Amino acid sequence: MRYKLNVNRRSIFVKLVLVFLLILLPVFTVGWFNNEFASRSVASEIAQSMESKVEFYMKLLEVDLSKIIQFQRQYVNDSDLLELSGGWEFMSFPERTYASERLQRRLLLLQSSSLYIKDVAVMLPAMSRIVSAYSPFEDLDRDLFQGLLRTNGAQISHFTYWQDRLFITMPAPGWSYRDHEDPLYLLAVELDIPRIRDLLKQMNTNSEGYARLASEKNRWSISSSDKEIAAADEGLVSIDNHSSELNLTLSAYVPETIAYAKLKKYKQWYWLLSAFAVAAVLVFALWIHRNIHNPLNKLVRAFRHLEEGNLNITVKHEAHDEFRYVFAQFNGTVVKLGTLINDVYEQKYRAQLSELRQLQAQINPHFLYNALFNLQLMAKLRDNENIDRFTSYLGDYFLYITRNASAEVTLAEEVAHAQKYVHIQSFRFSGRIAAKFGELPEACRNIAVPRLILQPVLENAYKYGLEPKRSQGLLQVGFVPGEESLTILIEDNGESLSDEKLEQISFQLKHVTLDTETTGMINVSRRLQLRYGMEAGLAVSRSGLGGMKVAMKLPVSGREEQGG
């Protein structure tokens, strides 16, 4: 027998529909507030993501342009430049030629140091000549020279903008724009505006927005688009990042219709699903009153978990009805929220990952146990002199590894810590293992290096190379300075290292990624590469002593410590 509905105003069906609609009213209200809350959260995360993106590109420009300015300052006292600018009339023709060619080669090195340098030139007004990276001698463009001098005199940053060209200028030391005479020379680095514009285009990911790099008080600007929208225009999201070092401001402008398109879509889906639910109540009242209670409660509980910050929540609905679609959209929304949050915090996570793993590797329970055991033995023997030395070394050791004031220390401090670590180990391996440290070159003592780069390598030598030896163990640490790098050699005469194990360690050091679970030497090698670039790191080979030789390469150019 088929069930027939009585649809008069007094029927249970009508009352059920009315009561159910009244019950749904607060549910829809709560859903609307939840949607608004989620929308505000997503809007905040989108804004933070845009700010992180602008800050990232500003850092790229800041690093590159600051490097250009730093290199430029190194040319101020160039011997050939000083000879050409101050003693031109006293030099013979070959001397002028050789000096200008040497200067031109150095300018070409400066020009090739950055993608954003178009040309580098030295203007010599006394001889009306220009020495550039591409030509040893050219006639001086007086209009360009005077234009750069006038603009340079009034500028409030490192940059000079003249006739749609952007320069970084530096006159001879001691010259002022108030002087009546021209400076001995003017060093001008012309920046490649099209390349800078290409970088701004990479930053701008949609065709309707644009990115803009501007100087203080908008004296000049470079935009990724020829059709700029005024910053005050309605419906435009503006994100700015100012570099105090360069006195430049990088701005990103994105229409709200694009920046918050997903939010509007979520709201549309919300209203669409709400209307669909009301229609479903009217059409399928009998089905709804038997099947809506549990799915609705499940959805409310999921929203509450979402409010508490649980982004791992997943809801399922087995029946093939509208709630299955609602749950699928909810799950999709949670996934998208997690993706947006991960995008915002990805850089911070990567920055903290290395530090976290470093801290995890700092305290070795096995090392601490052996240290306390040795201390106990000395106490039993009443060896007060060695107890005093040992506790002094141990105190300095833990003070060093737990100090969080700076992630970097001088190389002298790092070597001193490594020596204290070896002194502590000497108590344990007394008479079995001897350690020798070479003399650290004086010029390399103040190089800034990441903390704890030597101890893990020494610890590896003790644990896997020297610990099995009963006598005549030897650990050597040497320093080999080069023109642009310092190589630290750590060797041991262990006998347990096979060729296969050595090849495996070498392979791991050459194929380290951020997702690799690392400890010891691999951790050190990756931290060095993150700090100095891929030219740094560790390399292993067979030592002449018989064990492993670890070569640690550290670039020394421009790496001196700037403060405690």
Side-chain angles (χ1 to χ4, degrees), residues 78-323:
D78 183 84
S79 58
D80 291 320
L81 175 57
L82 295 176
E83 288 181 6
L84 288 173
S85 61
W88 169 267
E89 62 274 16
F90 304 108
M91 299 173 66
S92 63
F93 179 79
E95 290 175 339
R96 297 174 183 173
T97 302
Y98 293 147
S100 62
E101 289 179 349
R102 289 194 298 270
L103 178 59
Q104 186 225 350
R105 286 194 293 270
R106 284 192 284 273
L107 295 179
L108 186 59
L109 288 177
L110 176 57
Q111 189 276 334
S112 61
S113 66
S114 174
L115 293 173
Y116 303 110
I117 298 180
K118 182 178 182 180
D119 195 7
V120 183
V122 176
M123 302 181 184
L124 306 170
M127 63 190 74
S128 297
R129 290 290 188 272
I130 294 179
V131 179
S132 69
Y134 299 104
S135 174
F137 274 114
E138 291 180 357
D139 292 333
L140 176 64
D141 187 344
R142 282 287 176 180
D143 292 338
L144 173 61
F145 178 75
Q146 293 299 329
L148 293 182
L149 282 185
R150 288 194 299 270
T151 310
N152 182 275
Q155 71 179 2
I156 57 177
S157 68
H158 301 286
F159 303 90
T160 302
Y161 197 82
W162 184 80
Q163 292 189 358
D164 297 328
R165 298 168 68 184
L166 184 59
F167 298 84
I168 303 177
T169 59
M170 184 173 293
W175 179 85
S176 172
Y177 74 96
R178 300 181 181 88
D179 295 343
H180 298 291
E181 297 180 353
D182 293 334
L184 290 177
Y185 62 85
L186 181 65
L187 179 59
V189 176
E190 183 177 2
L191 300 179
D192 196 336
I193 292 180
R195 286 188 181 273
I196 297 177
R197 185 173 285 114
D198 290 340
L199 180 66
L200 298 179
K201 290 180 179 178
Q202 294 177 14
M203 171 183 163
N204 180 41
T205 56
N206 62 81
S207 59
E208 298 185 28
Y210 69 95
R212 182 171 177 265
L213 181 67
S215 66
E216 184 76 6
K217 298 181 181 180
N218 289 320
R219 296 176 184 271
W220 58 266
S221 66
I222 301 174
S223 175
S224 64
S225 174
D226 296 330
K227 298 179 180 179
E228 295 187 3
I229 309 172
D233 283 358
E234 185 177 356
L236 193 66
V237 178
S238 173
I239 303 296
D240 300 323
N241 186 278
H242 180 74
S243 171
S244 58
E245 180 178 354
L246 301 177
N247 214 13
L248 299 178
T249 300
L250 181 61
S251 304
Y253 300 93
V254 182
E256 289 184 354
T257 55
I258 295 178
Y260 303 129
K262 290 183 178 181
L263 299 181
K264 293 183 178 179
K265 184 177 181 181
Y266 296 157
K267 290 183 179 180
Q268 290 174 355
W269 278 114
Y270 171 78
W271 291 114
L272 178 62
L273 293 174
S274 299
F276 182 83
V278 172
V281 168
L282 297 175
V283 177
F284 303 106
L286 289 179
W287 290 354
I288 290 174
H289 90 274
R290 289 180 297 182
N291 298 288
I292 198 172
H293 180 75
N294 291 335
L296 185 57
N297 282 342
K298 186 186 297 185
L299 184 61
V300 172
R301 288 194 299 269
F303 270 113
R304 288 174 179 171
H305 285 296
L306 185 61
E307 288 179 338
E308 296 172 356
N310 182 6
L311 296 179
N312 296 320
I313 185 67
T314 301
V315 291
K316 297 180 179 180
H317 189 67
E318 299 297 332
H320 293 273
D321 54 21
E322 294 75 21
F323 276 100

Side-chain angles (χ1 to χ4, degrees), residues 382-401:
R382 300 184 182 276
D383 190 355
N384 295 331
E385 182 179 351
N386 280 332
I387 289 176
D388 180 67
R389 292 172 51 217
F390 186 81
T391 54
S392 177
Y393 291 144
L394 195 62
D396 291 341
Y397 172 85
F398 282 105
L399 178 63
Y400 185 86
I401 67 173

